[in-house]
Amino acid sequence: MNVNRNTGEVDGQYLLRGHLAVSELNSCHEDNYYLANALLAWGGAEASANGILKAAMQCRHWDFFPAFLYGFNQYFFKRNVPEAQRALEVAAERSSENAAAMKRFSVMIGAEEFDDEAMALAYLEEQQTKANDAALAESLQNRVDRLKGLIQLREAQSVYEANFDEPLPSPQALLNAGLIEAFPNDPLGIGYEFVNGQFKLRQLRIQGVERPQ
């Protein structure tokens, strides 16, 4: 993947184009939505991954999993609680076995009582350990390490704000306070950003490929 570090733009994103093409041809394709979420959402193309998941959710009316993934992404990446809860209700309707868990998740995110980073990390680590293909396992490990970097920044921010009783003014303050020795390295080369007082995974702008959610 060729990333322009100055503009954050990606050229020749064949993986993304491939997943989008398969979704256009057959939005019900199970492997496509599953891998798109694992590789794209956590690799800087969350909006496109959510578009694929939403299409799969609409097509696979018997399958709770794309609705769950779409709902989780809406919460984790966008903090769109109403949309996340709507998707989780769909997931609950489609799975009697998981209905209680989906409804409980919906209530918890509404009450801001959910450790979303821990769940996301557990999901990615599980997928990484289950991957039979070496290249896929390595790719997922990079995404695990990327998320760990985000968790490190958010935990350091929580400590700073507890110690100084004020919002974190800038990422540099974590270094000045000695809470981190250096900013975590993103193995994908995309990095992190500090927006509206919160650390987030930086999103890529992909030339010629945009898909609404």
Side-chain angles (χ1 to χ4, degrees):
M1 183 168 64
N2 182 23
V3 179
N4 185 319
R5 297 181 181 275
N6 295 321
T7 66
E9 295 181 348
V10 175
D11 298 316
Q13 181 56 278
Y14 300 113
L15 174 64
L16 173 55
R17 293 180 185 276
H19 281 297
L20 289 174
V22 172
S23 180
E24 292 291 340
L25 293 170
N26 179 12
S27 57
C28 282
H29 196 291
E30 183 175 12
D31 288 346
N32 189 58
Y33 86 70
Y34 187 80
L35 290 174
N37 181 71
L39 298 178
L40 300 183
W42 301 97
E46 162 265 321
S48 294
N50 269 2
I52 293 171
L53 287 171
K54 189 173 185 179
M57 179 175 67
Q58 294 169 345
C59 181
R60 297 176 63 88
H61 54 83
W62 65 91
D63 188 358
F64 86 96
F65 206 46
F68 164 71
L69 294 174
Y70 175 77
F72 181 85
N73 287 354
Q74 285 292 324
Y75 174 68
F76 185 86
F77 291 106
K78 302 188 69 174
R79 284 300 189 270
N80 187 341
V81 173
E83 181 68 2
Q85 290 179 318
R86 185 190 71 82
L88 291 169
E89 287 297 322
V90 172
E93 292 172 0
R94 294 177 179 178
S95 174
S96 58
E97 181 179 351
N98 296 284
M102 296 297 101
K103 291 180 179 180
R104 184 168 60 251
F105 182 21
S106 178
V107 171
M108 291 177 70
I109 65 174
E112 293 293 334
E113 297 177 351
F114 188 73
D115 188 350
D116 49 317
E117 290 95 345
M119 182 176 181
L121 183 60
Y123 165 75
L124 284 175
E125 288 180 329
E126 180 183 11
Q127 302 315 302
Q128 196 276 335
T129 57
K130 288 182 177 179
N132 294 322
D133 181 79
L136 176 59
E138 180 179 0
S139 182
L140 288 172
Q141 183 61 54
N142 287 338
R143 284 151 178 80
V144 167
D145 293 339
R146 184 178 194 226
L147 181 55
K148 286 181 177 178
L150 177 66
I151 292 173
Q152 178 188 356
L153 291 170
R154 288 184 173 178
E155 289 180 345
Q157 179 179 358
S158 295
V159 173
Y160 177 94
E161 292 177 348
N163 289 347
F164 293 93
D165 195 26
E166 66 175 15
L168 181 69
S170 69
Q172 183 63 35
L174 297 179
L175 293 172
N176 297 341
L179 294 175
I180 58 173
E181 296 181 359
F183 291 112
N185 177 54
D186 176 7
L188 299 183
I190 304 170
Y192 311 93
E193 56 187 358
F194 188 65
V195 180
N196 297 325
Q198 183 181 37
F199 284 105
K200 297 181 179 181
L201 298 172
R202 186 182 299 279
Q203 294 292 303
L204 292 172
R205 297 192 305 277
I206 302 172
Q207 293 178 340
V209 179
E210 293 185 3
R211 178 173 185 162
Q213 296 184 44

